[in-house]
Amino acid sequence: MSGKSRKIALPGRAAEPAGFAEPVEPAERAEPAERGHPAKLAEPAEPAEPAEPGVELGVGETGGPEGWLAKAVERVVEWAGQRGPSAGERRILAVEGRSGAGKTTLARAVADRLAAPLIHMDDLYAGWDGLDEGVTNLRDWVLEPLAAGRPAAWRRWNWAAHAYAEEHPVPDAGWLVVEGVGAGARVLRPYLIGIVFLRSSPAVRKRRALARDGETYAPHWQRWAEHEDRFYATENVTADLVIENEEH
């Protein structure tokens, strides 16, 4: 990954003067949710921010949640299109960020625009304590084979059975999008064209996740939050493009 990081500050955040560096928010625990596989929530310090405020987009420019998504997709596709292949003949894009930040929504829309297969890290984690194994699986099952010009396939974690289940071949395509905590891990960076990081305030992320996943995640909330905290503290994920998402 080369070049400076760029940040898009999306609705819900006032435009900042040039040269303004946003302070890192204090760590905060969030509360639970679930959808049959992990919806991880927690808010320790975010990964390193770009040194510049980047492109500021106001509410009027994005036109609400649908406008936010359209604008964010355009920016990501424009930026990604300037990168060359990163694993064999593929361009592989990682979409990172904490639970409720909008990773899945953005990644799905970007993948649709690029006609790219989409892999969710939620399908690769080996349960609630399997973040690290999910990262290793992505490298061993998908990224290394693609970089070597070989077919790749990954196995889905069955959250109900607590075991890996069926195998999914990675379709042929010029692109691959991977979304979820861990997609931007240090060991994976050599295979990526870059990392897009979605960021939202703790309150907004919590509201989204609970609305999406309900209350059944409560017993696992802190457990996963600690894994997420540790990952970001040790990996120091540095994004190429940071997108603020305060849409409700």
Side-chain angles (χ1 to χ4, degrees):
M1 297 176 292
S2 61
K4 294 183 179 179
S5 298
R6 302 296 304 279
K7 178 174 73 177
I8 302 178
L10 294 169
R13 301 179 64 87
E16 298 162 345
F20 178 85
E22 182 183 24
V24 175
E25 298 174 354
E28 176 178 330
R29 298 288 184 209
E31 296 181 11
E34 176 157 19
R35 57 186 170 193
H37 47 67
K40 303 76 51 187
L41 273 172
E43 184 64 28
E46 302 283 10
E49 291 287 331
E52 304 172 352
V55 180
E56 300 289 339
L57 303 178
V59 175
E61 292 175 279
T62 59
E66 291 184 2
W68 168 83
L69 181 59
K71 189 69 176 181
V73 169
E74 287 297 329
R75 181 66 187 94
V76 172
V77 169
E78 175 190 4
W79 166 80
Q82 301 170 18
R83 271 65 182 171
S86 55
E89 298 181 354
R90 299 239 188 178
R91 289 184 279 188
I92 301 177
L93 171 66
V95 180
E96 267 276 5
R98 300 176 186 277
S99 291
K103 300 183 300 298
T104 302
T105 298
L106 178 63
R108 183 178 293 120
V110 169
D112 286 346
R113 277 286 304 274
L114 297 175
L118 173 62
I119 295 177
H120 304 280
M121 291 299 295
D122 284 357
D123 289 328
L124 302 181
Y125 304 139
W128 295 108
D129 301 312
L131 193 161
D132 290 340
E133 188 168 347
V135 170
T136 299
N137 290 339
L138 178 61
R139 181 194 63 191
D140 293 350
W141 293 347
V142 177
L143 302 185
E144 283 188 347
L146 291 179
R150 303 193 309 268
W154 54 273
R155 293 181 63 196
R156 180 185 63 85
W157 177 260
N158 184 321
W159 288 85
H162 306 290
Y164 284 102
E166 73 282 354
E167 189 173 83
H168 294 261
V170 178
D172 290 334
W175 292 86
L176 174 64
V177 178
V178 183
E179 69 87 17
V181 178
R186 186 180 302 111
V187 70
L188 306 181
R189 289 175 191 169
Y191 305 97
L192 306 175
I193 65 168
I195 300 169
V196 176
F197 192 88
L198 271 288
R199 192 174 66 177
S200 304
S201 66
V204 170
R205 293 192 300 102
K206 176 181 176 181
R207 182 166 56 248
R208 289 189 193 125
L210 292 179
R212 178 191 67 198
D213 300 325
E215 297 291 340
T216 55
Y217 178 52
H220 306 288
W221 187 289
Q222 171 130 2
R223 176 181 176 183
W224 182 268
E226 291 174 356
H227 289 297
E228 195 175 49
D229 292 351
R230 179 189 51 77
F231 173 78
Y232 285 121
T234 59
E235 289 290 326
N236 188 28
V237 175
T238 302
D240 297 274
L241 189 67
V242 178
I243 299 181
E244 303 281 357
N245 178 16
E246 292 300 307
E247 286 293 349
H248 292 217

